[in-house]
Amino acid sequence: MFKATVSSFIALATSISFLFFSTPQKSFYHSLFTSDSLSDNASISNHLYMLTRRPHVAGTEANAEAADYVLSTLTSYNIRSHIASYYTALTYPVSRSLILTRLPPDPPIEFNLHQEIYDGDPYADVANEILPTFHAYAKSGTASGPVVYVNYGRVEDYITLKEMGVNISGNVVLARYGKIYRGDIVENANAAGAIGVLIFTDRKDYGGGGDAEWFPNKKWMPPSGVQVGSVYKDAGDPTTPGWPSTEECERVSNDEIEKGGHVPLIPSLPISWADGYAIIRSVGGQVANDNWQGGKDAPVYRVGPGPGIVNLSYTGKQVISTIQNVVGIIEGAEEPDRYVVLGNHRDAWTFGAVDPNSGTATLLEVAERLWKLQKKGWKPRRTIVLCNWDAEEYGLIGSTEWVEENRQILASRVVAYLNVDIAVAGPGFEASATPQLDELLVQATKQVLDPDNTTQTVYDSWVDSANNPEIGRLGGGGSDYAAFVQHIGIPAADISFGGGYPVYHSMYDDFVWMKKFGDPLFHRHVAVASIWGTVALQLADHEILPFNYVSYADELQKSAEDLKGGLLNKGITLTPLLKSINELKEAAIKIGDERKALERSKGWASMWKNDRQKVRELNDRLMMAERAFTDREGLAGRSWYKHLIYAPAKHNDYGSKPFPGIDDAIENAKSIDTADSWHSVQHEIWRVSRAITQASLFLKGELT
C-alpha cells in the first residue's frame, strides 16, 4: 500500500515537473520559424547569386556544380544529405536554320536565331554557354512551305481557321506562345496536317505591348528574346516509361517512343517576337480576328497561307545523361516513418533566376531555419525530406524517376508533398493544392506579413485581390507535384509569389532581372519561405494531421454540377457520381468528429490514457484517403496518370479539368457522337464514382 502511494506521488510529481520544466511546445518553435530573428533575405540573395552565375541545363557540368552547392549547403546545416543519380535520355541541339522567302523584290531573310547580350550585361562572358534556342525532344527534320498563322495553336483556333476556309495541310504554322503548353501547340499542328511549327513569344503578351523599352531597362522580353522549353507530353524519362532510369535498366527504342504519341512527329523551333513580326509581315490572306491580333505598333496579323514561305531545319541529338537529385533528411523523433516532403527543381534552360532558382534559394532558406530551430531544441514529430530535383524542364524527369524508384515506400509513408517551383516572379501570392490542404494554406498565410504591405498579412492581401482566396488545383503537368499527386495519389500543394513573367525561359531570366524587377529586397522570398515552412511544420508536428476532407467533398460537388450542362439529352446519368460524393462528405464529417473527440481527450487525461494507437490509425486514414482516388489502369491512353480527379487536360498539359477521364470521354463523344462513345462517358462516370467510394470507405476505416 505504501509503495503504491509513493509510486503514485512520484508519477504525479513527474507529471507536474513535465508541465513546468519541459522543453517549449511545438507552437513556440512554429512562431519562431517565421520571426525576423531566423529569416535572412541577404542569405537568400547570396544563394540565388551563386546558383545563377552560369547557365545550367540538366546533364551539364554547370548543373552538377549547382547540385554540389545545394548538397554542401544542406550538409553545412547538419542535414543528412545525399545525391540520387539517374541516367536519362535528354536531347540537345546540333544545328538549326530558318529562312523566310518573301515576294519579290523583298530579299529572303536568314534568321540568326540568337539572343542578344545587352550593354553592360554582367553575364556576357558566359553567354556562349547558353544552348542554342531549341525545343527539347523536338523532331529532327526539315519543313518547307507557306506560313499559316494559327493564333495560340489551340484546338478552337484550328476550328476557327476551318470555318474561314484556311487549309493547314502541307504548310508551316506560326503560333504565339501562351494559353496552352508548347508541346500541345506542336501536337495540334500535326493533327491539323502541318509539316512544321514556329512558336514566337508575342510582344503583346511578353514584350510590354507598345512599351518602347524592355530588359534591362524594364521587365519586358527584348526583341531577340526566345522562350525555349520542352515539347515532350509525358512525365519522366521517355525511354523508361513507368520505371526508374537506373544505370543498367531496360529502355524502349526511339520508334516505340514515337508510337507512344508523347513526342512530336514534326519539327519545331521557338523564335523571338522580332522574328515573328518579320514572318507575320510576309503573310497575306484574310485578316485575323481582333482577338488574334498583336499589340500596339504590331503589323496586321493575317492568316495566310503564304505567300511567305519558310524553310525550317532542326537537328538534335539524344544523349543518356546523368542527372542528380539532392535529398536532405531531418528524421522525425516520434514518427520517423512518416514523411513530409518539400521539393523544388534546380535545372534551368539558362540562368534560371526566377525559374527555378528563386525556389532553390528559398528551399535553402527553409533548411537553414529548420537547422536553427534544431539548435534551439526542436525536433520534428515526423521526418522532413528536402528534395532538389534535376531535369524538371525536360519533362519532370528527376522527380518522376525518384517517385518511380521509391513508389511503394512513398505511397505508404508520405503525408504530403509541398512544391515550390518559381518562388518569386513578382507581387501577389498564389497557391494550388489538393483540397484537404486548403484550410492549412489559408491559416499559414494568416501568420506571415505581406512583403509588399507589412501592415497586413499575406492572407489579407490575398483576400483583397481575389475577394475570396482562390486556391487552384494540381491537375496540370506544370511542375514536380505531378508524380506525387497524379501518379501515386499523395496530397500536395504548390505556392509562389507572382504569376507569369515576361522573360520566362529566356537568357534574360538572370540575377539582374530578379534584383531589378522580381524582388529587389528579397522580402518576397522570405515570405514564401515562411509560408512553405509553416505548412511543413504543421504537417510534421501536429499530432493529428490537419486535413479537411469536407473541403474535398465540396470541391467535387461543384465539379460534378459543372458536368451537367454538357450531358443534357445524352442519356447519361450523374447519379452514381453524386451519390459517391455525398458519401464522401458524410465520411469526412465523421472523421472530423473523431478528430475533435481525440483532441478533447488530450490535456490532463492524456497522462493517464494511452491513445497513441488511435491517433496513428486516424492519421493513416487521413493520409491514405488520397491514394483511393487513383486507379491502377490510369486514364485511357495516358496510363501513367492514375489519379481520376486531377490530371492534365488532354490538349493542354498546363491546364486541367476535374475528372479528366470523364472530360476526355465527353470530348471524344462530342466529336464522333456514337452510342458507344457516350457509353464510354457513362463508364468513366462509374469509374470515378467507385474511386470516390473507396476514399469514403478509407476515411470511415471500417469494413463493409
Side-chain angles (χ1 to χ4, degrees), residues 266-292:
I266 56 175
S268 65
L269 277 178
I271 60 174
S272 66
W273 62 257
D275 292 350
Y277 275 11
I279 295 171
I280 285 282
R281 291 188 182 97
S282 78
V283 176
Q286 300 173 64
V287 175
N289 297 336
D290 288 347
N291 60 352
W292 287 37

Coordinates of all heavy atoms in Angstrom, one line a residue, residues 266-292:
I266 N 6.7 16.2 -86.0 CA 7.1 17.2 -87.0 C 8.0 18.2 -86.3 O 8.0 18.4 -85.1 CB 5.9 18.0 -87.6 CG1 5.0 18.6 -86.5 CG2 5.0 17.1 -88.5 CD1 3.9 19.5 -87.0
P267 N 9.0 18.8 -87.1 CA 10.0 19.6 -86.4 C 9.4 21.0 -86.0 O 8.3 21.4 -86.5 CB 11.0 19.9 -87.6 CG 10.3 19.6 -88.8 CD 9.2 18.6 -88.5
S268 N 10.0 21.6 -85.0 CA 9.6 22.9 -84.5 C 10.7 23.7 -84.0 O 11.8 23.1 -83.7 CB 8.6 22.7 -83.3 OG 9.2 22.0 -82.2
L269 N 10.6 25.0 -83.9 CA 11.6 25.9 -83.4 C 10.9 27.0 -82.6 O 9.8 27.5 -83.0 CB 12.4 26.5 -84.5 CG 13.6 25.8 -85.0 CD1 14.2 26.6 -86.2 CD2 14.6 25.5 -84.0
P270 N 11.5 27.5 -81.5 CA 11.0 28.7 -80.9 C 11.7 29.9 -81.5 O 12.9 29.8 -81.8 CB 11.4 28.5 -79.4 CG 12.7 27.7 -79.5 CD 12.5 26.8 -80.7
I271 N 11.0 31.0 -81.6 CA 11.6 32.2 -82.2 C 11.2 33.4 -81.4 O 10.3 33.4 -80.6 CB 11.3 32.4 -83.7 CG1 9.8 32.5 -83.9 CG2 11.8 31.2 -84.5 CD1 9.4 32.9 -85.3
S272 N 11.9 34.5 -81.6 CA 11.7 35.8 -80.9 C 10.5 36.5 -81.5 O 10.0 36.2 -82.6 CB 12.9 36.7 -81.0 OG 13.1 37.1 -82.4
W273 N 10.0 37.6 -80.8 CA 8.9 38.3 -81.3 C 9.4 39.2 -82.5 O 8.6 39.5 -83.4 CB 8.2 39.1 -80.3 CG 8.8 40.2 -79.5 CD1 9.3 40.1 -78.2 CD2 9.1 41.6 -79.8 NE1 9.8 41.3 -77.7 CE2 9.7 42.2 -78.7 CE3 8.9 42.3 -81.0 CZ2 10.1 43.6 -78.7 CZ3 9.3 43.6 -81.0 CH2 9.8 44.3 -79.9
A274 N 10.7 39.6 -82.5 CA 11.1 40.3 -83.7 C 11.1 39.5 -84.9 O 10.7 39.9 -86.0 CB 12.6 40.8 -83.4
D275 N 11.5 38.2 -84.8 CA 11.5 37.3 -86.0 C 10.0 36.9 -86.3 O 9.7 36.8 -87.5 CB 12.3 36.0 -85.7 CG 13.8 36.3 -85.6 OD1 14.2 37.4 -85.9 OD2 14.5 35.4 -85.1
G276 N 9.2 36.8 -85.3 CA 7.8 36.5 -85.5 C 7.1 37.6 -86.3 O 6.3 37.4 -87.2
Y277 N 7.5 38.9 -86.0 CA 6.9 40.0 -86.7 C 7.3 40.0 -88.2 O 6.5 40.3 -89.1 CB 7.4 41.3 -86.1 CG 6.5 41.8 -84.9 CD1 5.5 41.0 -84.3 CD2 6.7 43.1 -84.4 CE1 4.8 41.4 -83.3 CE2 5.9 43.5 -83.3 CZ 5.0 42.7 -82.8 OH 4.2 43.1 -81.7
A278 N 8.6 39.7 -88.4 CA 9.1 39.6 -89.8 C 8.3 38.6 -90.6 O 8.0 38.8 -91.8 CB 10.6 39.3 -89.8
I279 N 8.0 37.5 -90.0 CA 7.3 36.4 -90.7 C 5.8 36.9 -90.9 O 5.2 36.7 -92.0 CB 7.4 35.1 -90.0 CG1 8.8 34.6 -90.0 CG2 6.4 34.0 -90.6 CD1 9.1 33.4 -89.1
I280 N 5.2 37.4 -89.9 CA 3.8 37.9 -90.0 C 3.7 38.9 -91.1 O 2.7 38.9 -91.9 CB 3.4 38.6 -88.6 CG1 3.1 37.6 -87.5 CG2 2.2 39.5 -88.8 CD1 1.8 36.9 -87.6
R281 N 4.7 39.8 -91.3 CA 4.6 40.7 -92.4 C 4.6 40.1 -93.8 O 4.1 40.7 -94.8 CB 5.7 41.7 -92.3 CG 5.6 42.7 -91.1 CD 6.7 43.8 -91.2 NE 6.6 44.6 -90.0 CZ 7.4 44.5 -88.9 NH1 8.3 43.5 -88.9 NH2 7.2 45.3 -87.9
S282 N 5.0 38.8 -93.9 CA 5.1 38.2 -95.2 C 3.8 37.3 -95.5 O 3.7 36.7 -96.5 CB 6.3 37.2 -95.2 OG 6.0 36.0 -94.5
V283 N 2.9 37.3 -94.5 CA 1.7 36.5 -94.6 C 0.5 37.3 -95.1 O 0.3 38.4 -94.6 CB 1.3 35.9 -93.2 CG1 0.0 35.1 -93.3 CG2 2.5 34.9 -92.8
G284 N -0.1 36.8 -96.1 CA -1.3 37.5 -96.7 C -2.6 36.8 -96.3 O -2.7 36.2 -95.2
G285 N -3.6 36.9 -97.2 CA -4.8 36.2 -96.9 C -5.8 37.0 -96.0 O -5.6 38.3 -95.9
Q286 N -6.7 36.4 -95.4 CA -7.7 37.1 -94.6 C -7.1 37.7 -93.4 O -6.2 37.1 -92.8 CB -8.8 36.1 -94.2 CG -9.6 35.5 -95.4 CD -10.5 34.4 -94.9 OE1 -11.5 34.7 -94.2 NE2 -10.3 33.2 -95.3
V287 N -7.6 38.9 -93.0 CA -7.2 39.5 -91.7 C -7.7 38.6 -90.6 O -8.9 38.3 -90.5 CB -7.7 40.9 -91.6 CG1 -7.3 41.5 -90.3 CG2 -7.1 41.8 -92.8
A288 N -6.8 38.4 -89.6 CA -7.2 37.6 -88.5 C -8.2 38.3 -87.6 O -8.3 39.6 -87.6 CB -6.0 37.2 -87.6
N289 N -9.0 37.6 -86.8 CA -9.9 38.2 -85.9 C -9.2 39.2 -84.9 O -8.0 39.1 -84.7 CB -10.6 37.2 -85.0 CG -11.5 36.2 -85.9 OD1 -11.9 36.6 -87.0 ND2 -11.7 35.0 -85.4
D290 N -10.0 40.1 -84.3 CA -9.4 41.1 -83.5 C -8.6 40.5 -82.3 O -7.6 41.0 -81.9 CB -10.5 42.0 -82.9 CG -11.0 43.0 -84.0 OD1 -10.4 43.1 -85.0 OD2 -12.1 43.6 -83.7
N291 N -9.2 39.4 -81.7 CA -8.5 38.8 -80.6 C -7.3 37.9 -81.0 O -6.7 37.3 -80.1 CB -9.5 38.0 -79.7 CG -10.2 36.9 -80.4 OD1 -10.1 36.8 -81.7 ND2 -11.0 36.1 -79.7
W292 N -7.1 37.9 -82.3 CA -5.9 37.2 -82.8 C -4.7 38.2 -83.1 O -3.6 37.8 -83.4 CB -6.2 36.4 -84.0 CG -7.0 35.1 -83.9 CD1 -8.0 34.9 -83.0 CD2 -6.8 33.9 -84.6 NE1 -8.5 33.6 -83.1 CE2 -7.8 33.0 -84.1 CE3 -6.0 33.5 -85.6 CZ2 -7.9 31.7 -84.6 CZ3 -6.1 32.2 -86.2 CH2 -7.1 31.4 -85.7

